[in-house]
């Protein structure tokens, strides 16, 4: 069984401080939905609001179509995996997992059986009698998931569950989490400040900044079609070139910039009046060193440094005083450019660049 | 009131109705029945006459300042210098004992926090605590054994020929001050220790590297950190010393009364509870005012007490 | 380098001095328990004896007080632990401004002098008893009941401090996790918070019992005409001392030390179990060492040692030695008397009207036996109204008694 979650114009204030500002979105049943945002932007607060520990100052939370206003955390069909896991240190692993069953009065024997099943599922059979502190970080992680699943929730809420793990384990757990989600078919609401995590696992992502949800969409849209400068610069690496609007034809906007006239797509399909101050975002991997052919958006730049990471090569460039980065796959042949290689000609596809006005608010959030 | 209700409902949603009721009931009982009401009763009593039972509630049972007047002026004209002197002496002695304890305990707290480690630290902590599991009366008794006219120190002193007639340490109050200082050492050590422990060792070393002298490091680096601990310990030691009864009774010299002993006499020897209450109120108020003044002067808050 | 070494030496020296100050009086007191001299002292050493333990146990009042103290202690624990817990929980859930206020209120009982607490308690309940027309011997106005209330009012503050420091280490997300997993708030409290507080409950109970057992200042008022162990002890110390009190100290110190060692063995064992070092640490690999280091084994071993000491002590007979000492003393006394008379004769020849022999002076300690060789000189002639003896009358100076 899955239930959808609706945030109906939810605002959460602590005194005069607004932690969540007018969040309005709906999450479908069975979806893997992520909230992505920098530290302190209100992600945890929003999650605690869904699970019932914080009441919205304004607006409503609906789960399965039901208003959750006076429903306590223990009555909601949600299970939260805390940022610090919150496993009970005095209980054994099996007792931790069986806790939701214990408080419901399930008999000791059935509790133990279910705990063993779940341990099997998270690939930790036979660890039921260990104490929590005898497990490794990744194992604890999985125990926390098993404990949440034992509560038989419709919606699983995960608060940066992987942030404490090392890189390898984190990558492993990502696939594992996704696999678990597909196997049990629950709604997962996942919080992270790691964009890689959000993009790889989620069906949809909401990007938050300072309490405001700036954009909701599937990972590709978020990455390729950011609707606000914040989304453009927070998700993935990007180059920013300021400019002034010259003209707009359909969604294609032409700017005059310090490096010359450049064209890109208007982010969020906005219309820009000529002369308006705007900025153009272009991803490092979309910049190419141009050959002699007639490519659009050509401009000159100097290479100041080169980073070689094996499969990827990064060039640090400077064009009309603007720092830029260019990324490309290592083709195995001799480097075309390096520091002191003189002026290069760069270009990019106008389809890949996004033009956004300054200071766009969450007007694109809905 | 609404704030209280909100707190109560928060508590209910956090720990359940049973726990919230228990907490509210218990705290109310504690604060009202055990702390506030008795103090009010004592205060009220201190403004009454000592009447025989039959006259209670009668016309003569009215409020009066007589008990406080007695403290100030005694029976006749002129000031009651005897009782006021006892109070002043008690306060001065309590201050002296407190200072003594600070002096004794600061180094040991520092050593505990920054020089000792491992087994040594464990042993020292146990060695600090164990003597204080032993009855307060017995500890005072130990000092009497030590300092009495036929006590150990006189015995040894005379046997070794340092002096020929016993020195009266009791009359000189040496025994009393030593005993009181001893009695509250533990409180002081742990108060200071808790504060000093938070100091980063590197800070001391950094100061030393910069060439600061040993004294300077303590004065400029350690002492500011230790201050809340010292204040908390000093408050407790002062209050306990000023309010001590057993040690002055056991170790006090004959011509030397502690203010609590006066109170005790009004109650137990004279049977005048009203005047005793008045004297107890005076002790309480004077001590609290003194402590709050000191806290003001040294800029520490009551929240630091008991940490 | 030099400075560190100097500091280290200073630290060591100071620590040694400090602990000598802490333990010196106790050690000396312990030694006096075994000297047959009827005033507790170390020099001159008379005979090794264990009779003071017998004297102690024969003291009816003390033993009866012990019994009362035990009951009061248990009741105080039963009341002050829940009260302290309630206070700590209330503080944990309040906002900052309320918390500061309530903390100040709940911590003041520690600061209020014990005598004030005792007095205010009996005054309040005396008034209540009068209102209800209950006599001065009813349940309301009963020494044990009042002592209980008086002691709980400030011992609950001690237990509260213990709970506060434990609660500060509590991760409140654990309670939230329990709620989130479907537990009712009550269940979360019982199954998560309470088990976490269990060690604090133990130490709070211990501290509460100790504080109750030790308390004098409050109890001496609230117990009314009765006696607890401590008040009985105090009145004994005030009225005259003999080494049976040292004997008591020996017993208490022995119990304390045994307790401390068992506790230490227990904490170490727990720590090893927790860190899983038990198997790895070389010493503990040996099953014998592991057995001996077990707290129960430590307890049994120390208990057996104490038992042996008691048995041995019980068989010791110091009467022969005592008789010898007595004879010596009488001889000295006679000799002194003769010398005295000699001096008196010479003295009277110079000034015929002079005070009685100094040997007849009342001893400062209420007639405890004092050999003449060490008898203190008569106290200087007291000023009018002051007390003739350093201790005997200090507690009821006539000059201060209210005039009728
Ligand atoms: N109970 C509270 N009272 C007051 N302010 C709060 C409270 N809880 C959170 N805040 C504030 O709300 C803001 C958002 O906090 P939140 O914990 O939701 O951040 P977050 O996005 O989860 O950050 P992180 O990635 O670091 O976990 C923070 O500035 C925080 O200080
Ligand atoms: Mg967070």
């Amino acid at each position: 069984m899955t239930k959808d979650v609706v945030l109906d114009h939810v605002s959460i204030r602590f005194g005069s401080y607004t932690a969540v500002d007018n969040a309005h979105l709906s999450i479908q049943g069975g979806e893997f939905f992520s909230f992505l945002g920098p530290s302190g932007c209100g992600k945890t607060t929003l999650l605690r609001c869904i699970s019932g520990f914080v009441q919205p100052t304004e607006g409503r939370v609906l789960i399965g179509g039901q208003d959750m206003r006076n429903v306590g955390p223990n009555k909601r069909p949600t299970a939260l995996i805390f940022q610090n896991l919150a496993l009970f240190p005095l209980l054994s692993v099996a007792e931790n997992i069986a806790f939701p069953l214990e408080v419901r009065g399930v008999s000791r024997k059935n509790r133990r059986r279910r705990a063993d099943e779940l341990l099997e599922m998270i690939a930790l059979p036979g660890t039921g009698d260990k104490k929590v502190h005898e497990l490794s970080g990744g194992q604890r992680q999985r125990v926390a998931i098993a404990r949440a699943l034992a509560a038989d929730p419709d919606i699983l809420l995960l608060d940066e569950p992987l942030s404490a793990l090392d890189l390898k384990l984190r990558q492993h757990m990502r696939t594992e989490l996704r696999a678990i989600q597909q196997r049990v078919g629950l709604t997962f609401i996942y919080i992270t400040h790691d964009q890689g995590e959000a993009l790889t696992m989620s069906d949809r992502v909401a990007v938050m900044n300072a309490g405001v949800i700036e954009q909701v969409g599937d990972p590709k849209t978020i990455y390729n079609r950011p609707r606000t400068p914040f989304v453009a610069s927070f998700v993935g690496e990007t180059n920013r070139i300021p400019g002034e609007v010259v003209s707009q034809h359909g969604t294609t906007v032409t700017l005059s910039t310090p490096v010359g006239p450049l064209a890109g797509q208007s982010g969020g399909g906005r219309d820009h009046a000529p002369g308006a101050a705007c900025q153009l975002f272009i991803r490092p991997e979309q910049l190419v060193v141009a050959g002699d052919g007639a490519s659009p958006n050509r401009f000159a730049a100097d290479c100041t440094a080169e980073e070689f990471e094996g499969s990827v090569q990064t060039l640090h460039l400077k064009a009309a005083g603007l720092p830029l980065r260019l990324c490309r796959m290592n083709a195995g042949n001799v480097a075309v450019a390096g520091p002191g290689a003189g002026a290069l000609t760069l270009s990019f596809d106008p389809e890949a660049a996004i033009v956004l006005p300054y200071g766009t608010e969450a007007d694109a959030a809905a | 009131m609404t704030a209280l209700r909100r707190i109560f409902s928060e508590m209910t949603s956090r720990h359940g109705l049973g726990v919230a009721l228990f907490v509210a009931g218990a705290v109310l009982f504690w604060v009202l029945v055990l702390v506030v009401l008795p103090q009010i009763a004592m205060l009220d009593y201190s403004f009454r006459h000592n009447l025989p039972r039959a006259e209670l509630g009668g016309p003569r049972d009215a409020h009066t300042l007589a008990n406080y007047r007695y403290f100030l002026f005694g029976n006749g004209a002129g000031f009651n210098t005897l009782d006021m002197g006892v109070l002043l002496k008690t306060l001065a002695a309590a201050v002296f004992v407190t200072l003594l304890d600070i002096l004794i305990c600061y180094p040991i707290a520092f050593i505990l926090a920054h020089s000792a480690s491992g087994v040594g630290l464990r042993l020292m902590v146990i060695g600090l605590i164990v003597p204080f599991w032993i009855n307060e009366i017995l500890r005072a008794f130990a000092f009497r054994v030590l300092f009495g006219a036929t006590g150990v120190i006189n015995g040894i002193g005379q046997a070794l020929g340092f002096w020929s007639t016993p020195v009266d340490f009791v009359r000189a109050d040496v025994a009393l001050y030593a005993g009181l200082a001893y009695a509250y050492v533990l409180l002081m050590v742990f108060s200071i220790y808790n504060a000093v422990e938070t100091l980063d060792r590197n800070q001391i070393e950094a100061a030393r590297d910069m060439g600061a002298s040993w004294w300077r490091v303590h004065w400029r680096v350690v002492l500011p950190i230790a201050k809340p601990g010292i204040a908390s310990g000093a408050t407790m030691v002062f209050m306990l010393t000023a309010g001590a009864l057993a040690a002055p009774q056991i170790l006090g010299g004959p011509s030397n009364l502690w203010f609590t002993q006066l109170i005790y006499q009004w109650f137990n020897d004279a049977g005048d509870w009203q005047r005793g209450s008045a004297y107890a109120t005076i002790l309480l108020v004077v001590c609290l005012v003194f402590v709050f003044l000191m806290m003001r002067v040294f800029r520490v808050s009551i929240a630091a007490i008991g940490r | 380098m030099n400075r560190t070494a100097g500091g280290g030496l200073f630290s060591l020296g100071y620590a040694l001095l400090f602990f000598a100050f802490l333990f010196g009086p106790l050690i000396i007191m312990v030694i006096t328990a075994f000297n047959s001299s009827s005033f507790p002292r170390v020099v001159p050493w008379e005979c090794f004896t264990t009779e003071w333990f017998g004297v102690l146990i024969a003291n009816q009042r003390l033993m009866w007080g012990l019994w009362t103290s035990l009951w009061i202690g248990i009741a105080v624990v039963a009341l002050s632990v829940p009260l302290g817990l309630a206070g700590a929980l209330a503080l944990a859930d309040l906002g900052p401004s309320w918390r500061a206020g309530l903390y100040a209120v709940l911590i003041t009982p520690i600061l209020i002098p014990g005598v004030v607490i005792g007095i205010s308690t009996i005054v309040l309940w005396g008034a209540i008893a009068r209102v209800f027309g209950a006599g001065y011997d009813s349940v309301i106005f009963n020494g044990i009941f009042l002592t209980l209330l008086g002691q709980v009012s400030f011992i609950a503050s001690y237990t509260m401090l213990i709970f506060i420091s434990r609660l500060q280490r509590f991760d409140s997300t654990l309670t939230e996790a329990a709620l989130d997993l479907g537990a009712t708030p009550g269940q979360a409290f019982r199954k998560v918070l309470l088990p976490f507080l269990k060690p604090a409950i133990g130490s709070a109970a211990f501290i509460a019992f100790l504080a109750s057992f030790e308390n004098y200042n409050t109890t001496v008022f609230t117990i009314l005409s009765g006696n607890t162990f401590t008040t009985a002890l105090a009145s004994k110390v005030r009225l005259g001392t003999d080494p049976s009190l040292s004997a008591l100290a020996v017993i208490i110190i022995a119990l304390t030390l045994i307790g401390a060692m068992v506790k230490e063995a227990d904490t170490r064992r727990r720590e090893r179990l927790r860190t899983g070092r038990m198997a790895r640490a070389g010493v503990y690999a040996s099953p014998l060492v592991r057995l001996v280091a077990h707290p129960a084994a430590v307890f049994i071993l120390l208990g057996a040692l104490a038992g042996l000491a008691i048995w041995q002590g019980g068989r010791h007979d110091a009467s022969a030695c005592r008789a010898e000492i007595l004879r010596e003393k009488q001889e000295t006394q006679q000799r002194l008397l003769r010398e005295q008379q000699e001096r008196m004769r010479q003295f009277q020849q110079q000034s015929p009207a002079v005070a009685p022999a100094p040997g007849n002076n009342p001893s400062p300690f209420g007639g405890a036996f004092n050999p003449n060789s060490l008898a203190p000189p008569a106290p200087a002639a007291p000023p009018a109204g002051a007390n003739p003896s350093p201790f005997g009358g200090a507690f009821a100076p006539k000059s201060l008694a209210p005039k009728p």
Side-chain angles (χ1 to χ4, degrees):
Chain A
M1 247 253 319
T2 58
K3 283 185 176 151
D4 57 347
V5 177
V6 175
L7 302 179
D8 181 11
H9 296 286
V10 170
S11 291
I12 302 167
R13 282 186 257 284
F14 299 109
S16 62
Y17 179 80
T18 305
V20 174
D21 191 3
N22 197 22
H24 188 73
L25 55 84
S26 78
I27 298 163
Q28 262 95 58
E31 197 175 15
F32 196 122
F33 191 95
S34 293
F35 285 97
L36 173 66
S39 183
C41 70
K43 307 181 298 284
T44 299
T45 307
L46 196 55
L47 208 61
R48 287 168 61 79
C49 176
I50 297 174
S51 51
F53 295 113
V54 177
Q55 292 300 325
T57 321
E58 280 161 28
R60 301 180 302 162
V61 176
L62 299 122
I63 298 177
Q66 196 192 345
D67 188 352
M68 289 284 124
R69 176 162 305 276
N70 288 316
V71 183
N74 53 338
K75 303 262 164 52
R76 298 192 183 193
T78 57
L80 175 59
I81 294 174
F82 287 78
Q83 206 159 359
N84 65 355
L85 301 186
L87 292 174
F88 304 123
L90 299 176
L91 302 184
S92 72
V93 169
E95 284 167 336
N96 258 288
I97 295 178
F99 186 86
L101 306 172
E102 189 189 338
V103 298
R104 261 174 241 172
V106 176
S107 77
R108 186 178 291 273
K109 217 174 89 227
N110 289 342
R111 275 185 342 231
R112 184 67 206 217
R113 214 188 44 230
R114 180 79 180 123
D116 285 339
E117 278 171 24
L118 283 163
L119 280 170
E120 198 81 41
M121 191 200 92
I122 57 169
L124 286 175
T127 51
D129 293 321
K130 284 195 173 177
K131 286 278 184 207
V132 172
H133 64 79
E134 293 169 332
L135 299 183
S136 74
Q139 291 172 331
R140 278 180 222 182
Q141 191 63 62
R142 284 181 275 170
V143 170
I145 294 168
R147 186 180 68 173
L149 291 177
D152 203 12
D154 298 318
I155 297 145
L156 200 61
L157 310 167
L158 302 100
D159 191 353
E160 306 200 28
L162 306 185
S163 57
L165 306 183
D166 64 55
L167 185 67
K168 257 241 155 64
L169 198 52
R170 200 152 63 213
Q171 279 164 348
H172 172 71
M173 289 301 298
R174 276 186 203 168
T175 26
E176 197 134 311
L177 266 182
R178 184 69 189 173
I180 290 174
Q181 195 257 345
Q182 266 149 13
R183 192 160 46 214
V184 295
L186 299 179
T187 312
F188 271 43
I189 301 182
Y190 190 93
I191 278 190
T192 179
H193 60 252
D194 178 335
Q195 31 135 342
E197 230 165 83
L199 298 182
T200 46
M201 292 195 288
S202 322
D203 295 320
R204 282 198 299 154
V205 178
V207 182
M208 284 184 80
N209 179 32
V212 177
I213 295 178
E214 302 234 345
Q215 184 171 359
V216 181
D218 62 79
K220 282 184 187 135
T221 313
I222 294 282
Y223 189 81
N224 293 330
R225 289 282 169 266
R227 299 168 77 120
T228 68
F230 174 79
V231 176
S233 50
F234 184 72
V235 182
E237 295 281 341
T238 195
N239 294 304
R240 195 179 67 87
I241 303 171
E244 220 169 73
V245 177
V246 175
S247 65
Q248 180 165 2
H249 301 289
T251 58
T252 305
V253 185
T254 307
L255 302 178
S256 93
T257 73
V259 299
L262 297 175
Q265 298 297 307
S266 166
R270 295 184 187 81
D271 287 331
H272 299 283
C278 270
Q279 44 195 343
L280 179 139
F281 293 92
I282 179 73
R283 303 261 177 215
E285 72 271 15
Q286 301 288 354
L287 274 182
V288 290
V289 178
D292 296 330
S295 43
N297 289 337
R298 291 171 72 100
F299 61 97
D302 285 326
C303 185
T304 55
E306 180 192 9
E307 263 170 38
F308 181 67
E309 288 173 40
S311 61
V312 183
Q313 187 187 21
T314 306
L315 299 183
H316 293 261
L317 308 156
K318 213 158 212 145
L322 287 172
L324 298 174
R325 275 149 64 92
L326 179 153
C327 264
R328 58 182 183 184
M329 295 306 285
N330 181 9
N333 48 15
V334 208
V336 187
L344 295 170
T345 306
L346 305 181
S347 93
F348 58 89
D349 181 356
E351 288 292 317
I354 298 293
V355 174
L356 292 165
Y358 283 95
T360 39
E361 286 299 309
D363 52 15
Chain B
M1 215 59 241
T2 50
L4 279 181
R5 197 165 314 134
R6 189 178 48 75
I7 290 165
F8 184 78
S9 70
E10 250 167 45
M11 191 107 195
T12 311
S13 64
R14 205 178 171 81
H15 299 305
L17 185 65
V19 175
L21 280 176
F22 157 71
V23 167
V27 170
L28 215 65
F29 172 77
W30 183 7
V31 170
L32 274 188
V33 179
L34 295 186
V35 181
V36 174
L37 279 182
Q39 305 302 324
I40 292 176
M42 183 181 78
L43 191 66
D44 175 70
Y45 225 62
S46 72
F47 288 109
R48 288 181 183 277
H49 291 291
N50 186 16
L51 297 172
R53 239 194 137 160
E55 284 190 47
L56 288 180
R60 288 190 53 205
D61 193 2
H63 286 105
T64 170
L65 285 173
N67 297 316
Y68 292 95
R69 197 177 304 128
Y70 183 87
F71 171 74
L72 290 177
F73 305 109
N75 276 335
F79 287 111
N80 186 353
T81 45
L82 200 59
D83 289 5
M84 287 195 286
V86 170
L87 180 60
L88 278 183
K89 220 208 103 202
T90 303
L91 291 182
V95 169
F96 174 70
V97 168
T98 307
L99 291 178
L100 199 62
D101 265 349
I102 294 176
L103 275 184
I104 297 174
C105 297
Y106 176 80
I108 208 75
F110 183 79
I111 291 170
L112 268 185
H114 290 283
S115 298
S117 60
V119 180
L121 180 67
R122 272 283 249 292
L123 272 180
M124 280 169 88
V125 170
I126 294 176
L128 266 171
I129 295 175
V130 161
F132 296 93
W133 284 1
I134 292 151
N135 204 301
E136 181 190 359
I137 308 290
L138 285 177
R139 274 183 269 149
F141 174 69
F143 274 82
R144 193 148 138 192
V145 170
L146 218 54
F147 285 113
T150 56
V152 173
I153 291 190
N154 269 320
I156 293 174
Q158 285 173 303
L160 297 182
F162 291 142
W163 58 85
S164 53
T165 50
V167 178
D168 198 344
F169 293 111
V170 170
R171 185 177 289 276
D173 278 341
V174 174
L176 178 58
Y177 292 158
L180 283 171
Y182 184 95
Y184 308 118
V185 155
L186 182 71
L187 277 178
M188 189 64 94
V189 169
F190 280 108
S191 291
I192 303 181
Y193 171 77
N194 281 340
V196 173
E197 196 204 22
T198 59
L199 179 70
D200 190 353
R201 233 189 171 112
N202 296 335
Q203 254 175 291
I204 303 175
E205 269 153 27
R208 285 236 177 125
D209 280 347
M210 285 184 278
S213 71
W214 197 84
W215 290 108
R216 229 181 153 69
V217 169
H218 276 270
W219 185 248
R220 298 300 296 268
V221 181
V222 186
L223 217 53
I225 301 248
K227 201 180 84 172
I230 293 177
S232 147
T235 309
M236 286 192 280
V237 171
F238 173 81
M239 290 303 271
L240 285 172
T241 312
L245 178 60
Q249 281 184 343
I250 293 167
L251 296 171
S255 54
N256 247 326
L257 277 178
W258 215 249
F259 196 71
T260 48
Q261 285 175 281
L262 279 189
I263 300 175
Y264 183 83
Q265 281 166 16
W266 284 118
F267 263 81
N268 288 16
D269 302 338
D272 190 343
W273 286 25
Q274 286 76 6
R275 193 153 289 171
S277 295
Y279 275 49
T281 308
I282 290 168
L283 176 68
L284 179 63
V285 170
V286 168
C287 285
L288 287 181
V289 166
F290 187 82
V291 165
F292 282 120
L293 276 181
M294 285 299 120
M295 284 194 194
R296 263 286 159 81
V297 171
F298 292 107
R299 294 206 200 86
V300 281
S301 79
I302 190 163
I305 311 289
R307 294 260 175 252
Chain C
M1 184 65 220
N2 235 341
R3 228 166 10 200
T4 332
L9 265 185
F10 175 81
S11 298
L12 188 68
Y14 189 84
L16 284 179
L17 261 182
F18 181 83
F19 282 101
F21 172 61
L22 275 196
F23 284 94
L26 302 181
I27 292 170
I28 284 166
M29 181 159 60
V30 165
I31 296 173
T32 61
F34 298 99
N35 189 354
S36 65
S37 159
S38 54
F39 185 78
R41 57 183 174 185
V42 178
V43 278
W45 185 260
E46 294 182 2
C47 302
F48 178 84
T49 179
T50 50
E51 69 193 279
W52 298 118
F53 290 89
V55 174
L56 173 72
I57 289 164
N59 187 330
Q60 286 289 322
R61 195 158 157 221
L62 220 50
M63 290 302 124
W64 190 245
L66 180 65
W67 197 236
T68 317
S69 283
L70 285 180
W71 281 116
I72 293 178
I74 290 168
V76 165
V77 168
L79 277 176
S80 60
V81 170
L83 284 190
L85 177 60
L89 286 175
L91 287 173
D93 279 5
L94 288 182
S97 59
W98 281 85
R99 186 183 312 141
L102 188 63
Y103 186 78
V105 171
L106 295 184
I107 208 74
T108 32
I110 290 183
L111 295 181
I112 297 176
V115 293
V116 175
I117 290 181
I119 288 169
S120 58
T121 304
I122 57 174
V123 165
L124 173 71
W125 292 92
I128 291 178
R130 238 186 354 267
V131 167
F132 286 107
Y136 277 143
D137 48 0
S138 60
V139 197
I140 298 182
F141 204 74
N142 161 300
I144 295 185
F145 174 70
L146 293 182
T147 304
L148 194 60
L149 293 181
Q151 291 189 350
V152 165
S153 72
F154 66 92
I155 291 178
S157 301
Y158 292 141
T159 60
M160 181 183 81
L161 287 179
I162 296 172
F163 285 120
I164 286 177
S165 74
R166 180 82 185 157
L167 273 178
Q168 274 169 350
R169 273 179 286 151
F170 181 67
D171 175 5
S172 62
T173 55
L174 291 182
T175 294
E176 292 185 342
L179 288 179
D180 191 64
L181 294 168
T184 63
Q187 279 174 323
F189 182 79
R190 278 198 311 281
K191 289 177 189 290
V192 177
L193 187 55
L194 221 48
F196 173 82
L197 289 175
K198 218 162 107 194
I201 293 176
S203 41
F206 177 74
I207 296 286
F209 186 83
L210 210 65
S212 160
F213 195 85
E214 281 233 323
N215 183 263
Y216 176 73
N217 292 1
T218 299
T219 310
V220 76
F221 288 95
T222 52
I223 199 69
L224 303 174
S225 56
N227 259 312
T228 64
F229 185 71
T230 303
T231 60
L233 196 62
S235 59
K236 184 163 165 51
V237 177
R238 281 164 55 193
L239 296 178
T241 47
D242 68 51
S244 67
L245 292 171
S246 306
L248 176 64
V250 171
I251 294 172
I252 292 184
I253 291 172
L255 286 179
T256 308
L257 284 180
I258 291 177
M261 284 190 217
V262 172
K263 175 106 199 332
E264 178 67 8
D266 188 48
T267 27
R268 289 200 174 193
R269 196 176 111 86
R270 265 167 213 275
E271 205 158 282
R272 280 197 307 277
L273 284 180
R274 195 169 52 76
T275 54
R277 271 216 333 250
M278 184 73 111
R280 265 179 283 141
V283 194
Y284 292 104
S286 143
L288 183 68
V289 174
R290 211 183 299 175
L291 180 70
V292 172
H294 192 280
V298 172
F299 179 72
I300 291 170
L301 199 72
L302 293 174
L305 273 178
L308 189 71
I310 291 168
W311 182 67
Q312 271 295 335
R315 294 187 341 148
H316 181 82
D317 186 5
S319 53
C321 172
R322 286 201 82 137
E324 176 69 18
I325 290 276
L326 195 64
R327 207 172 42 75
E328 265 175 36
K329 269 186 198 156
Q330 278 165 348
E331 274 173 13
T332 341
Q333 203 149 6
Q334 304 243 301
R335 188 168 46 78
L336 281 172
L337 204 61
R338 256 180 275 117
E339 284 172 13
Q340 184 88 42
Q341 282 162 351
E342 188 64 31
R343 263 207 311 276
M344 285 282 268
R345 235 184 344 271
Q346 296 172 351
F347 195 60
Q348 272 166 351
Q349 283 161 2
Q350 293 157 1
S351 61
V354 133
N360 291 340
N361 272 318
S363 132
F365 299 112
F369 174 72
N370 281 301
N372 279 345
S373 55
L374 279 167
N387 311 290
S389 102
F391 294 114
F395 311 107
K398 295 286 171 300
S399 60
L400 289 161
K403 279 119 205 153

